[in-house]
Amino acid sequence: MNAAIKLEHITKSYNGMAILDDINLEISKGKTTGIIGANGSGKSVLFKVICGFISPDNGNTYIRGLKLGEKIDFPENVGVFINEPGYISIFDGFQNLKFLADINKKIDNEKIKITMESVGLNPDNKAKVKDYSLGMKQKLGIAQAIMEDQDILVLDEPFNALDYNTYKDIKNIIKSLKDEGRTILLTSHNFEDIEQLCDSIYIIENAQLQLVSSEIIDKYRHRSR
Ligand SMILES: Nc1ncnc2c1ncn2[C@@H]1O[C@H](COP(=O)(O)OP(=O)(O)OP(=O)(O)O)[C@@H](O)[C@H]1O
């Protein structure tokens, strides 16, 4: 069976500095995989390569067996949450999601509303997104990533800027998506979240990706206490 996500020998440099150096990764369907690493280690760059937002210098990305840049440029049915999603600032939350939903025409208004409610947003709130708080924008980003029942989710720091209750809500949503068998790729600076949600954990260090050992897990547990 094809892996949901497969990376082969991915390299990416900026200004002569290797950010990703010969990255290989295979994620099976239905698994939740965590990527950890220091600020600036390359987690977002890796996620953007997987989503087809940036091209690697070398290497191949396959989503459900389809090679990016060959049969498809952007993977289909992948829910993406990468920090600071772009919104139409003069639209309200519902209008923004409706605008995006109209591209694929897979879901109706009711599904958008149900999804907004599931992340704690009121679909009838007419406030423009430019007046949303950071946490509300974060919730809207999560809603767009899951509203079409995308079976692969790429979530870069989904817990940033959330108050405690919303954080709990979003964490529970990710848990249920995991239980439903979605394939999830996740970053968080809170190691406890990664440990609780993920089936396997990788670390990016010095442009290399490696499966974390129990020693590294201990180090991170200690750090997040
Ligand atoms: N478009 C770009 N041009 C030049 N350098 C870039 C570009 N995008 C990313 N970088 C560099 O690549 C490195 C990795 O950035 P990335 O955003 O992937 O880090 P990260 O691991 O997600 O960090 P954080 O935990 O702070 O979110 C950084 O040094 C960053 O400056």
Side-chain angles (χ1 to χ4, degrees):
M1 197 176 65
N2 285 329
I5 300 172
K6 186 175 176 187
L7 302 178
E8 266 179 3
H9 305 298
I10 295 287
T11 58
K12 182 75 188 173
S13 296
Y14 282 116
N15 308 319
M17 189 200 285
I19 306 298
L20 304 174
D21 183 13
D22 196 20
I23 301 292
N24 294 284
L25 176 67
E26 203 164 317
I27 297 176
S28 305
K29 189 170 174 298
K31 295 292 177 198
T32 299
T33 303
I35 308 282
I36 59 171
N39 292 129
S41 57
K43 302 179 296 296
S44 299
V45 170
L46 180 72
F47 279 22
K48 286 175 188 165
V49 166
I50 291 170
C51 299
F53 296 166
I54 55 178
S55 302
D57 300 332
N58 280 298
N60 299 315
T61 305
Y62 300 86
I63 305 294
R64 300 183 203 87
L66 296 178
K67 190 170 161 182
L68 289 195
E70 196 176 75
K71 291 212 163 56
I72 47 167
D73 283 330
F74 298 102
E76 280 176 22
N77 205 27
V78 173
V80 179
F81 178 88
I82 291 186
N83 41 29
E84 295 172 29
Y87 297 111
I88 301 170
S89 61
I90 55 160
F91 280 7
D92 64 34
F94 174 83
Q95 288 171 322
N96 265 279
L97 296 186
K98 170 86 178 131
F99 177 79
L100 293 171
D102 281 347
I103 296 170
N104 289 329
K105 296 189 169 47
K106 279 187 185 166
I107 56 169
D108 59 14
N109 290 356
E110 196 50 32
K111 183 70 198 304
I112 298 173
K113 288 182 182 175
I114 290 168
T115 311
M116 287 183 79
E117 281 163 358
S118 77
V119 298
L121 286 174
N122 176 1
D124 298 322
N125 181 355
K126 301 292 177 223
K128 294 179 171 52
V129 164
K130 69 180 170 61
D131 299 321
Y132 267 29
S133 70
L134 202 56
M136 288 168 80
K137 285 185 190 158
Q138 193 85 348
K139 291 181 192 176
L140 196 60
I142 303 286
Q144 65 77 30
I146 63 173
M147 67 182 179
E148 291 177 333
D149 293 330
Q150 293 92 330
D151 67 340
I152 298 178
L153 299 171
V154 176
L155 308 174
D156 190 4
E157 301 279 353
F159 305 120
N160 260 2
L162 300 179
D163 61 53
Y164 185 72
N165 286 335
T166 312
Y167 154 74
K168 284 280 183 199
D169 290 346
I170 300 289
K171 194 162 170 182
N172 284 332
I173 288 168
I174 295 175
K175 270 188 200 146
S176 10
L177 295 166
K178 173 185 165 77
D179 293 343
E180 284 169 18
R182 317 268 187 120
T183 306
I184 304 173
L185 192 56
L186 182 70
T187 65
S188 170
H189 283 290
N190 183 348
F191 189 69
E192 201 180 289
D193 294 332
I194 292 282
E195 215 184 359
Q196 286 169 2
L197 291 167
C198 297
D199 301 301
S200 49
I201 306 170
Y202 290 82
I203 184 166
I204 303 187
E205 231 169 8
N206 303 322
Q208 307 279 323
L209 185 73
Q210 63 177 95
L211 198 58
V212 300
S213 62
S214 47
E215 289 83 24
I216 293 176
I217 289 182
D218 282 346
K219 188 174 99 182
Y220 272 82
R221 260 198 211 119
H222 185 67
R223 193 183 293 170
S224 47
R225 260 187 212 134

